[in-house]
Coordinates of all heavy atoms in Angstrom, one line a residue:
M58 N 127.3 26.7 167.2 CA 128.1 25.7 166.4 C 127.9 25.8 164.9 O 126.7 25.9 164.5 CB 127.8 24.3 166.9 CG 128.6 23.9 168.1 SD 130.3 23.7 167.9 CE 130.4 22.1 167.1
K59 N 128.9 25.8 164.2 CA 128.8 25.9 162.7 C 128.9 24.5 162.2 O 129.7 23.7 162.6 CB 130.0 26.7 162.2 CG 129.5 27.8 161.2 CD 130.7 28.6 160.8 CE 130.4 29.5 159.6 NZ 131.5 30.2 159.1
R60 N 128.1 24.2 161.3 CA 128.1 22.8 160.7 C 128.6 22.9 159.2 O 128.0 23.7 158.4 CB 126.8 22.1 160.7 CG 126.4 21.7 162.1 CD 125.0 21.2 162.2 NE 125.0 20.0 163.1 CZ 124.7 18.8 162.7 NH1 124.4 18.5 161.4 NH2 124.6 17.8 163.5
F61 N 129.6 22.1 158.9 CA 130.1 22.1 157.5 C 129.4 21.0 156.7 O 129.3 19.9 157.2 CB 131.6 21.9 157.5 CG 132.3 23.1 158.0 CD1 133.2 22.9 159.1 CD2 132.2 24.3 157.5 CE1 133.9 24.0 159.6 CE2 132.9 25.4 158.1 CZ 133.8 25.2 159.1
T62 N 128.9 21.3 155.6 CA 128.3 20.3 154.7 C 129.4 19.8 153.8 O 129.4 18.6 153.4 CB 127.1 20.9 153.9 OG1 127.5 22.1 153.3 CG2 126.0 21.1 154.8
K63 N 130.4 20.6 153.5 CA 131.4 20.2 152.6 C 132.6 19.9 153.5 O 132.7 20.4 154.6 CB 131.8 21.4 151.7 CG 132.3 21.0 150.3 CD 132.3 22.1 149.3 CE 133.0 23.4 149.8 NZ 133.3 24.3 148.7
K64 N 133.5 19.1 153.0 CA 134.7 18.8 153.8 C 135.7 20.0 153.7 O 136.4 20.1 152.7 CB 135.4 17.6 153.2 CG 135.0 16.3 153.9 CD 135.9 15.2 153.4 CE 135.2 13.8 153.6 NZ 136.0 12.8 153.0
I65 N 135.7 20.8 154.7 CA 136.7 21.9 154.7 C 137.6 21.7 155.9 O 137.2 21.6 157.0 CB 135.9 23.3 154.9 CG1 135.0 23.4 153.7 CG2 136.9 24.4 155.0 CD1 134.1 24.7 153.8
E66 N 138.9 21.6 155.5 CA 139.9 21.3 156.6 C 141.0 22.3 156.5 O 141.5 22.6 155.4 CB 140.5 19.9 156.4 CG 139.5 18.8 156.2 CD 140.2 17.5 155.7 OE1 140.7 16.8 156.6 OE2 140.4 17.3 154.5
D67 N 141.4 22.8 157.6 CA 142.6 23.5 157.7 C 143.7 22.6 158.2 O 143.5 21.7 159.0 CB 142.5 24.6 158.7 CG 141.6 25.7 158.2 OD1 141.2 25.7 157.1 OD2 141.2 26.6 159.0
F68 N 144.9 22.7 157.6 CA 146.0 21.9 158.0 C 147.3 22.6 158.0 O 147.4 23.6 157.3 CB 146.0 20.6 157.2 CG 146.3 20.8 155.7 CD1 147.5 20.8 155.2 CD2 145.2 21.1 154.9 CE1 147.7 21.0 153.8 CE2 145.4 21.3 153.5 CZ 146.7 21.2 153.0
V69 N 148.3 22.1 158.8 CA 149.6 22.7 158.8 C 150.5 21.8 157.9 O 150.5 20.6 158.1 CB 150.1 22.8 160.2 CG1 151.6 23.3 160.2 CG2 149.3 23.8 161.0
C70 N 151.1 22.4 156.9 CA 152.0 21.6 156.0 C 153.1 21.0 156.8 O 153.8 21.6 157.6 CB 152.5 22.5 154.9 SG 153.7 21.7 153.9
E71 N 153.3 19.7 156.6 CA 154.3 18.9 157.4 C 155.7 19.1 156.8 O 156.7 18.8 157.4 CB 154.0 17.4 157.4 CG 152.9 17.1 158.4 CD 152.5 15.7 158.4 OE1 153.4 14.8 158.1 OE2 151.3 15.4 158.7
N72 N 155.8 19.7 155.6 CA 157.1 19.9 155.0 C 157.6 21.3 155.3 O 158.7 21.5 155.8 CB 157.0 19.8 153.5 CG 158.3 20.0 152.8 OD1 159.3 19.3 153.1 ND2 158.4 20.9 151.9
C73 N 156.8 22.4 155.2 CA 157.3 23.7 155.4 C 156.6 24.5 156.5 O 157.0 25.6 156.8 CB 157.2 24.5 154.1 SG 155.5 25.0 153.6
G74 N 155.6 23.9 157.1 CA 155.0 24.5 158.3 C 154.0 25.6 158.0 O 153.5 26.3 158.9
T75 N 153.7 25.8 156.7 CA 152.7 26.8 156.3 C 151.3 26.4 156.7 O 150.9 25.2 156.6 CB 152.6 27.0 154.7 OG1 153.9 27.5 154.3 CG2 151.5 27.9 154.3
R76 N 150.5 27.3 157.3 CA 149.2 27.0 157.7 C 148.3 27.2 156.4 O 148.2 28.2 155.8 CB 148.7 28.0 158.8 CG 147.4 27.5 159.3 CD 147.0 28.2 160.6 NE 145.7 27.7 160.9 CZ 145.4 26.6 161.5 NH1 146.3 25.7 161.8 NH2 144.1 26.2 161.7
V77 N 147.6 26.1 156.0 CA 146.8 26.1 154.8 C 145.3 26.1 155.2 O 144.9 25.2 156.0 CB 147.1 24.8 154.0 CG1 146.4 24.9 152.7 CG2 148.6 24.7 153.7
S78 N 144.6 27.0 154.7 CA 143.1 27.0 155.0 C 142.5 26.3 153.8 O 142.6 26.7 152.7 CB 142.5 28.3 155.2 OG 143.3 29.3 154.7
G79 N 141.8 25.2 154.1 CA 141.2 24.4 153.1 C 140.0 25.0 152.6 O 139.3 25.7 153.3
D80 N 139.6 24.8 151.3 CA 138.4 25.2 150.7 C 137.5 24.1 150.3 O 136.5 24.2 149.6 CB 138.7 26.2 149.6 CG 139.4 25.5 148.4 OD1 139.7 24.3 148.5 OD2 139.8 26.2 147.5
G81 N 137.9 22.9 150.8 CA 137.1 21.7 150.4 C 137.8 21.0 149.2 O 137.5 19.8 149.0
Y82 N 138.7 21.6 148.6 CA 139.3 21.0 147.4 C 140.9 20.9 147.6 O 141.5 20.1 146.9 CB 139.0 21.7 146.1 CG 137.6 21.9 145.9 CD1 136.9 23.0 146.2 CD2 136.9 20.8 145.3 CE1 135.5 23.1 145.9 CE2 135.5 20.9 145.1 CZ 134.8 22.0 145.4 OH 133.5 22.1 145.2
T83 N 141.4 21.7 148.5 CA 142.8 21.8 148.7 C 143.4 20.4 149.1 O 142.9 19.9 150.1 CB 143.1 22.8 149.8 OG1 142.4 24.0 149.5 CG2 144.6 23.1 149.8
N84 N 144.3 19.9 148.4 CA 144.9 18.7 148.8 C 146.5 18.8 148.9 O 147.1 17.8 149.1 CB 144.5 17.5 147.9 CG 145.0 17.7 146.5 OD1 145.7 18.7 146.2 ND2 144.7 16.7 145.7
H85 N 147.0 20.0 148.7 CA 148.4 20.2 148.8 C 148.7 21.6 149.3 O 147.9 22.5 149.3 CB 149.1 19.9 147.5 CG 148.7 20.7 146.4 ND1 147.7 20.3 145.5 CD2 149.0 21.9 146.0 CE1 147.5 21.2 144.6 NE2 148.3 22.3 144.9
C86 N 149.9 21.8 149.8 CA 150.4 23.1 150.3 C 150.7 24.0 149.2 O 151.4 23.7 148.3 CB 151.7 22.8 151.1 SG 152.5 24.3 151.7
P87 N 150.1 25.2 149.2 CA 150.3 26.2 148.1 C 151.7 26.8 148.1 O 152.1 27.3 147.1 CB 149.2 27.3 148.3 CG 148.8 27.2 149.7 CD 149.1 25.7 150.1
N88 N 152.4 26.7 149.2 CA 153.7 27.2 149.3 C 154.8 26.3 148.7 O 155.5 26.6 147.8 CB 154.0 27.6 150.7 CG 155.4 28.2 150.9 OD1 155.8 29.1 150.1 ND2 156.2 27.7 151.8
C89 N 154.9 25.1 149.2 CA 155.9 24.1 148.8 C 155.3 23.0 147.9 O 156.1 22.2 147.3 CB 156.7 23.5 150.0 SG 155.6 22.4 150.9
L90 N 154.0 23.0 147.7 CA 153.3 22.1 146.9 C 153.3 20.6 147.4 O 152.9 19.7 146.7 CB 153.8 22.1 145.4 CG 153.8 23.5 144.8 CD1 154.3 23.4 143.4 CD2 152.4 24.2 144.8
Y91 N 153.8 20.4 148.6 CA 153.8 19.0 149.1 C 152.3 18.6 149.4 O 151.5 19.4 149.8 CB 154.6 18.9 150.4 CG 156.0 18.5 150.1 CD1 156.9 19.4 149.4 CD2 156.6 17.3 150.6 CE1 158.2 19.0 149.2 CE2 157.9 16.9 150.4 CZ 158.7 17.8 149.7 OH 160.0 17.5 149.4
S92 N 152.0 17.3 149.2 CA 150.7 16.8 149.5 C 150.9 15.7 150.6 O 152.0 15.4 151.0 CB 150.1 16.3 148.2 OG 148.8 15.9 148.5
K93 N 149.8 15.1 150.9 CA 149.9 13.9 151.8 C 149.1 12.8 151.3 O 148.0 12.9 150.7 CB 149.3 14.3 153.2 CG 150.3 14.3 154.3 CD 149.6 14.4 155.6 CE 150.1 13.3 156.6 NZ 149.4 13.4 157.9
H94 N 149.6 11.6 151.5 CA 149.0 10.4 150.9 C 147.9 9.9 151.8 O 148.1 9.1 152.7 CB 150.0 9.3 150.7 CG 149.6 8.1 149.9 ND1 150.3 7.0 149.7 CD2 148.5 8.0 149.1 CE1 149.6 6.2 148.9 NE2 148.5 6.8 148.5
V95 N 146.7 10.5 151.6 CA 145.6 10.2 152.5 C 144.3 9.7 151.8 O 143.4 9.1 152.4 CB 145.1 11.4 153.4 CG1 146.2 11.7 154.4 CG2 144.9 12.6 152.5
D96 N 144.3 9.9 150.5 CA 143.1 9.5 149.7 C 143.3 8.3 148.9 O 144.3 8.0 148.3 CB 142.7 10.6 148.7 CG 142.2 11.9 149.4 OD1 142.0 11.8 150.7 OD2 142.1 12.9 148.8
V97 N 142.2 7.5 148.8 CA 142.2 6.4 147.8 C 141.5 7.0 146.6 O 142.0 7.1 145.5 CB 141.5 5.1 148.3 CG1 141.4 4.1 147.2 CG2 142.3 4.5 149.5
N98 N 140.3 7.4 146.8 CA 139.6 8.2 145.8 C 139.6 9.7 146.3 O 139.5 9.9 147.5 CB 138.1 7.8 145.7 CG 138.1 6.4 145.1 OD1 138.6 6.1 144.0 ND2 137.5 5.4 145.8
P99 N 139.6 10.7 145.4 CA 139.8 12.1 145.9 C 138.8 12.4 147.0 O 137.6 12.3 146.9 CB 139.5 12.9 144.6 CG 139.9 12.0 143.5 CD 139.5 10.6 144.0
G100 N 139.4 12.9 148.1 CA 138.6 13.4 149.2 C 138.1 12.4 150.2 O 137.5 12.8 151.2
D101 N 138.3 11.1 150.0 CA 137.8 10.1 150.9 C 138.6 9.9 152.2 O 138.2 9.3 153.1 CB 137.4 8.8 150.2 CG 138.7 8.1 149.7 OD1 139.8 8.5 149.9 OD2 138.5 7.1 149.0
R102 N 139.9 10.3 152.1 CA 140.8 10.2 153.3 C 140.9 8.7 153.8 O 140.9 8.5 155.0 CB 140.4 11.1 154.4 CG 140.3 12.6 154.1 CD 141.6 13.1 153.7 NE 141.6 14.6 153.5 CZ 141.5 15.2 152.3 NH1 141.4 14.5 151.2 NH2 141.5 16.5 152.3
A103 N 140.7 7.8 152.8 CA 140.6 6.4 153.2 C 142.0 5.7 153.2 O 142.1 4.5 153.6 CB 139.7 5.6 152.3
N104 N 143.0 6.3 152.8 CA 144.3 5.7 152.7 C 145.1 5.8 154.1 O 145.2 6.9 154.6 CB 145.2 6.3 151.6 CG 146.3 5.4 151.2 OD1 147.1 5.0 152.0 ND2 146.2 4.9 150.0
I105 N 145.6 4.7 154.5 CA 146.2 4.7 155.8 C 147.7 5.0 155.7 O 148.4 5.1 156.7 CB 146.1 3.3 156.5 CG1 146.5 2.2 155.6 CG2 144.6 3.1 157.0 CD1 146.9 0.9 156.4
C106 N 148.2 5.1 154.5 CA 149.7 5.4 154.3 C 150.1 6.7 155.1 O 150.9 6.7 155.9 CB 150.0 5.5 152.9 SG 151.7 6.0 152.6
G107 N 149.4 7.8 154.7 CA 149.7 9.1 155.4 C 151.1 9.7 155.2 O 151.5 10.6 155.8
G108 N 151.8 9.1 154.2 CA 153.2 9.6 153.9 C 153.1 11.0 153.2 O 152.1 11.4 152.6
L109 N 154.2 11.8 153.3 CA 154.3 13.0 152.6 C 154.4 12.7 151.1 O 155.1 11.8 150.7 CB 155.5 13.8 153.0 CG 155.3 14.8 154.2 CD1 156.7 15.4 154.5 CD2 154.3 15.9 153.9
M110 N 153.7 13.5 150.3 CA 153.9 13.4 148.8 C 154.6 14.5 148.2 O 154.2 15.7 148.3 CB 152.5 13.2 148.2 CG 151.9 11.9 148.6 SD 150.4 11.4 147.7 CE 151.0 10.9 146.2
E111 N 155.8 14.2 147.7 CA 156.7 15.2 147.1 C 156.3 15.6 145.7 O 156.0 14.7 144.9 CB 158.1 14.6 147.1 CG 159.2 15.5 146.8 CD 160.5 14.8 146.7 OE1 160.6 13.6 146.8 OE2 161.5 15.5 146.6
P112 N 156.2 16.9 145.4 CA 156.0 17.3 144.0 C 157.2 17.0 143.2 O 158.3 17.5 143.5 CB 155.7 18.8 144.1 CG 156.4 19.2 145.3 CD 156.5 18.1 146.3
V113 N 157.1 16.1 142.1 CA 158.2 15.7 141.4 C 158.3 16.4 140.0 O 159.4 16.6 139.5 CB 158.4 14.2 141.2 CG1 158.9 13.6 142.5 CG2 157.1 13.6 140.8
S114 N 157.1 16.7 139.4 CA 157.2 17.4 138.1 C 155.8 18.1 137.9 O 154.9 17.8 138.6 CB 157.5 16.5 137.0 OG 156.5 15.5 136.8
Y115 N 155.8 18.9 136.8 CA 154.5 19.5 136.5 C 154.2 19.3 135.0 O 155.1 19.6 134.2 CB 154.6 21.0 136.8 CG 153.4 21.8 136.3 CD1 152.1 21.6 136.9 CD2 153.5 22.7 135.3 CE1 151.0 22.2 136.4 CE2 152.4 23.3 134.8 CZ 151.2 23.1 135.4 OH 150.1 23.7 134.9
D116 N 153.0 18.9 134.7 CA 152.6 18.8 133.3 C 151.4 19.7 133.1 O 150.5 19.7 133.9 CB 152.1 17.3 133.2 CG 151.7 17.0 131.7 OD1 150.7 17.5 131.3 OD2 152.4 16.3 131.0
A117 N 151.5 20.5 132.1 CA 150.5 21.6 131.8 C 149.1 21.0 131.7 O 148.1 21.6 132.0 CB 150.9 22.3 130.6
K118 N 149.0 19.8 131.1 CA 147.7 19.1 131.0 C 147.2 18.4 132.2 O 146.1 18.5 132.6 CB 147.8 18.2 129.8 CG 147.7 18.8 128.4 CD 147.3 17.9 127.4 CE 147.4 18.5 126.0 NZ 148.8 18.4 125.4
K119 N 148.1 17.6 132.8 CA 147.7 16.8 133.9 C 147.9 17.4 135.3 O 147.2 17.0 136.2 CB 148.5 15.5 133.8 CG 148.1 14.6 132.6 CD 148.8 13.3 132.6 CE 150.1 13.4 131.8 NZ 150.7 12.1 131.5
G120 N 148.7 18.4 135.4 CA 148.9 19.0 136.7 C 150.2 18.6 137.4 O 151.2 18.3 136.7
I121 N 150.2 18.7 138.7 CA 151.4 18.4 139.5 C 151.5 16.9 139.8 O 150.5 16.3 140.2 CB 151.4 19.1 140.9 CG1 151.1 20.6 140.7 CG2 152.7 18.9 141.6 CD1 150.7 21.3 142.0
L122 N 152.7 16.3 139.5 CA 152.9 14.9 139.8 C 153.4 14.8 141.2 O 154.5 15.3 141.5 CB 153.8 14.3 138.8 CG 154.0 12.8 139.0 CD1 152.8 11.9 138.9 CD2 155.1 12.2 138.1
H123 N 152.7 14.2 142.1 CA 153.1 13.9 143.5 C 153.6 12.5 143.6 O 152.9 11.6 143.1 CB 152.0 14.2 144.5 CG 151.7 15.6 144.7 ND1 150.5 16.3 144.3 CD2 152.5 16.6 145.3 CE1 150.6 17.5 144.7 NE2 151.8 17.8 145.3
R124 N 154.7 12.3 144.4 CA 155.1 10.9 144.7 C 155.3 10.8 146.2 O 155.9 11.6 146.8 CB 156.5 10.6 144.0 CG 156.9 9.2 144.2 CD 158.3 8.9 143.7 NE 158.4 9.1 142.3 CZ 159.5 9.8 141.7 NH1 160.4 10.3 142.4 NH2 159.5 9.9 140.4
C125 N 154.6 9.7 146.7 CA 154.6 9.5 148.1 C 156.0 9.0 148.5 O 156.6 8.1 147.9 CB 153.6 8.4 148.5 SG 153.6 8.0 150.2
V126 N 156.6 9.7 149.6 CA 157.9 9.4 150.0 C 158.0 8.0 150.7 O 159.1 7.4 150.9 CB 158.6 10.5 150.9 CG1 158.7 11.8 150.1 CG2 157.7 10.7 152.2
V127 N 156.9 7.5 151.2 CA 156.8 6.3 151.9 C 156.6 5.1 151.0 O 157.4 4.1 151.0 CB 155.7 6.3 153.0 CG1 155.6 5.0 153.7 CG2 155.9 7.4 154.0
C128 N 155.6 5.1 150.1 CA 155.2 3.9 149.3 C 155.5 4.1 147.8 O 155.2 3.2 147.1 CB 153.8 3.5 149.6 SG 152.6 4.6 148.9
K129 N 156.0 5.3 147.4 CA 156.3 5.6 146.0 C 155.1 5.7 145.1 O 155.3 5.7 143.9 CB 157.3 4.6 145.4 CG 158.5 4.3 146.3 CD 159.4 5.5 146.4 CE 160.6 5.2 147.3 NZ 161.2 6.4 147.9
F130 N 153.9 5.7 145.7 CA 152.7 5.9 144.9 C 152.8 7.3 144.2 O 153.2 8.3 144.8 CB 151.5 5.8 145.8 CG 150.2 6.1 145.1 CD1 149.6 5.1 144.4 CD2 149.6 7.3 145.3 CE1 148.3 5.4 143.7 CE2 148.4 7.6 144.6 CZ 147.8 6.6 143.9
E131 N 152.4 7.3 142.9 CA 152.4 8.6 142.1 C 151.0 9.0 141.7 O 150.2 8.1 141.3 CB 153.3 8.4 140.9 CG 154.8 8.3 141.3 CD 155.7 8.3 140.0 OE1 155.1 8.2 138.9 OE2 156.9 8.5 140.2
K132 N 150.7 10.3 141.7 CA 149.4 10.7 141.4 C 149.5 12.2 140.9 O 150.3 13.0 141.4 CB 148.5 10.7 142.6 CG 147.1 11.1 142.4 CD 146.4 11.0 143.8 CE 144.9 11.2 143.6 NZ 144.6 12.6 143.2
Y133 N 148.7 12.5 139.8 CA 148.6 13.9 139.4 C 147.5 14.6 140.1 O 146.5 14.1 140.4 CB 148.3 13.9 137.9 CG 149.5 13.6 137.0 CD1 149.7 12.4 136.4 CD2 150.4 14.7 136.7 CE1 150.9 12.2 135.6 CE2 151.5 14.5 135.9 CZ 151.7 13.2 135.4 OH 152.9 13.0 134.6
N134 N 147.8 15.8 140.5 CA 146.9 16.7 141.1 C 146.7 18.0 140.4 O 147.7 18.6 139.9 CB 147.3 17.0 142.6 CG 147.1 15.8 143.5 OD1 145.9 15.5 143.8 ND2 148.1 15.2 144.0
K135 N 145.5 18.4 140.4 CA 145.2 19.7 139.7 C 145.9 20.9 140.4 O 145.9 20.9 141.7 CB 143.7 20.0 139.7 CG 143.0 19.2 138.6 CD 141.8 20.0 138.1 CE 141.1 19.2 137.0 NZ 140.2 18.2 137.5
L136 N 146.3 21.8 139.7 CA 146.9 23.0 140.2 C 145.8 23.9 140.9 O 144.7 23.9 140.4 CB 147.4 23.8 139.0 CG 148.6 24.8 139.2 CD1 149.8 24.0 139.7 CD2 148.9 25.5 137.9
Q137 N 146.1 24.5 142.0 CA 145.2 25.4 142.6 C 145.6 26.8 142.3 O 146.8 27.1 142.0 CB 145.2 25.2 144.1 CG 144.9 23.8 144.6 CD 143.5 23.4 144.4 OE1 142.5 24.2 144.6 NE2 143.2 22.2 144.1
K138 N 144.6 27.7 142.2 CA 144.9 29.1 141.7 C 145.9 29.8 142.6 O 146.6 30.8 142.2 CB 143.7 29.9 141.5 CG 142.7 29.9 142.6 CD 141.4 30.8 142.1 CE 140.3 30.8 143.1 NZ 139.9 29.4 143.5
N139 N 146.0 29.5 143.9 CA 147.0 30.2 144.8 C 148.3 29.4 144.9 O 149.1 29.7 145.8 CB 146.3 30.4 146.2 CG 145.8 29.2 146.8 OD1 145.8 28.1 146.2 ND2 145.5 29.2 148.1
D140 N 148.6 28.5 144.1 CA 149.8 27.7 144.2 C 151.0 28.6 143.8 O 150.9 29.5 143.0 CB 149.8 26.5 143.2 CG 149.0 25.4 143.8 OD1 148.7 25.4 145.0 OD2 148.8 24.4 143.1
N141 N 152.1 28.4 144.5 CA 153.4 29.1 144.3 C 153.9 28.9 142.9 O 154.4 27.9 142.5 CB 154.4 28.5 145.3 CG 155.7 29.2 145.3 OD1 156.0 29.9 144.4 ND2 156.4 29.1 146.4
S142 N 153.8 30.0 142.1 CA 154.2 29.9 140.7 C 155.6 29.7 140.4 O 156.0 29.0 139.5 CB 153.7 31.1 139.9 OG 154.1 32.3 140.5
D143 N 156.5 30.2 141.3 CA 157.9 30.0 141.2 C 158.2 28.5 141.3 O 159.0 27.9 140.5 CB 158.7 30.7 142.3 CG 158.7 32.2 142.1 OD1 158.3 32.6 141.0 OD2 159.0 32.9 143.1
K144 N 157.5 27.8 142.2 CA 157.7 26.4 142.4 C 157.2 25.6 141.2 O 157.9 24.6 140.8 CB 156.9 26.0 143.7 CG 157.3 24.8 144.4 CD 158.6 25.0 145.2 CE 159.2 23.7 145.5 NZ 160.5 23.7 146.0
I145 N 156.1 26.0 140.6 CA 155.6 25.4 139.4 C 156.6 25.5 138.3 O 156.9 24.5 137.6 CB 154.3 26.0 138.9 CG1 153.2 26.0 140.0 CG2 153.7 25.4 137.7 CD1 152.7 24.7 140.4
I146 N 157.2 26.6 138.1 CA 158.2 26.9 137.0 C 159.4 25.9 137.2 O 159.9 25.3 136.3 CB 158.6 28.3 137.0 CG1 157.4 29.2 136.5 CG2 159.8 28.5 136.0 CD1 157.5 30.7 136.7
E147 N 159.8 25.9 138.5 CA 160.9 25.0 138.9 C 160.6 23.5 138.5 O 161.4 22.8 137.9 CB 161.0 25.0 140.4 CG 162.5 25.1 140.9 CD 162.4 25.3 142.4 OE1 162.4 26.4 142.9 OE2 162.4 24.3 143.1
L148 N 159.4 23.1 138.8 CA 158.9 21.7 138.5 C 158.9 21.5 137.0 O 159.2 20.4 136.5 CB 157.6 21.4 139.1 CG 157.6 21.2 140.7 CD1 156.1 21.0 141.1 CD2 158.4 20.1 141.1
S149 N 158.3 22.4 136.2 CA 158.2 22.3 134.8 C 159.6 22.1 134.2 O 159.8 21.4 133.2 CB 157.5 23.5 134.1 OG 156.7 24.1 135.0
A150 N 160.6 22.8 134.7 CA 161.9 22.8 134.2 C 162.6 21.4 134.4 O 163.4 21.0 133.6 CB 162.8 23.9 134.8
T151 N 162.2 20.8 135.5 CA 162.8 19.5 135.9 C 162.4 18.4 134.9 O 163.2 17.6 134.6 CB 162.4 19.1 137.3 OG1 162.5 20.2 138.1 CG2 163.2 18.0 137.9
G152 N 161.1 18.4 134.5 CA 160.6 17.4 133.6 C 160.5 16.1 134.3 O 160.7 16.0 135.5
V153 N 160.1 15.0 133.6 CA 160.0 13.7 134.2 C 161.2 12.9 133.9 O 161.7 12.9 132.7 CB 158.7 13.0 133.7 CG1 158.6 11.6 134.4 CG2 157.5 13.8 133.9
Ligands
ZN153 ZN1 154.4 23.3 152.5
ZN154 ZN1 151.9 6.4 150.4

């Protein structure tokens, strides 16, 4: 048995079905950039909402703005290095 000291989770994206291997920091899908409303504080998974969080825009300083489709909660998330760059460009063009 392997024991993880860090929270490393693999998950399947509920929006596009991509299998995402977590590195302990991943909180969104690198393909479609959707996230899930599960944290109150980063990584604690204490939120019971569980709604999909849609990427609505991208800010070079703050990162990707995610909005929960269930409760409309908005949150900026840092870009991950393997994120889909086409999608980021699309989001930057949209603006807020
Ligand atoms: Zn996805
Ligand atoms: Zn929510």
Side-chain angles (χ1 to χ4, degrees):
M58 279 294 280
K59 234 179 165 182
R60 284 173 143 244
F61 292 123
T62 49
K63 211 165 57 167
K64 267 190 204 172
I65 300 174
E66 311 168 85
D67 289 352
F68 60 95
V69 174
C70 174
E71 286 178 28
N72 180 59
C73 71
T75 295
R76 189 165 174 80
V77 185
S78 21
D80 60 5
Y82 302 100
T83 313
N84 65 359
H85 59 264
C86 171
N88 181 47
C89 69
L90 307 180
Y91 270 65
S92 182
K93 242 190 130 185
H94 195 188
V95 289
D96 292 348
V97 175
N98 295 303
D101 64 7
R102 304 295 187 260
N104 202 296
I105 54 159
C106 175
L109 269 179
M110 293 190 74
E111 187 184 8
V113 285
S114 67
Y115 172 69
D116 182 290
K118 283 198 186 83
K119 290 182 267 189
I121 306 163
L122 180 63
H123 283 114
R124 184 189 296 137
C125 179
V126 297
V127 177
C128 70
K129 312 294 179 205
F130 175 80
E131 292 186 347
K132 185 180 186 294
Y133 279 100
N134 281 294
K135 281 211 178 80
L136 206 62
Q137 303 290 323
K138 50 182 176 304
N139 57 349
D140 282 350
N141 186 338
S142 50
D143 290 344
K144 203 76 195 162
I145 301 290
I146 292 163
E147 221 175 273
L148 287 177
S149 335
T151 316
V153 183

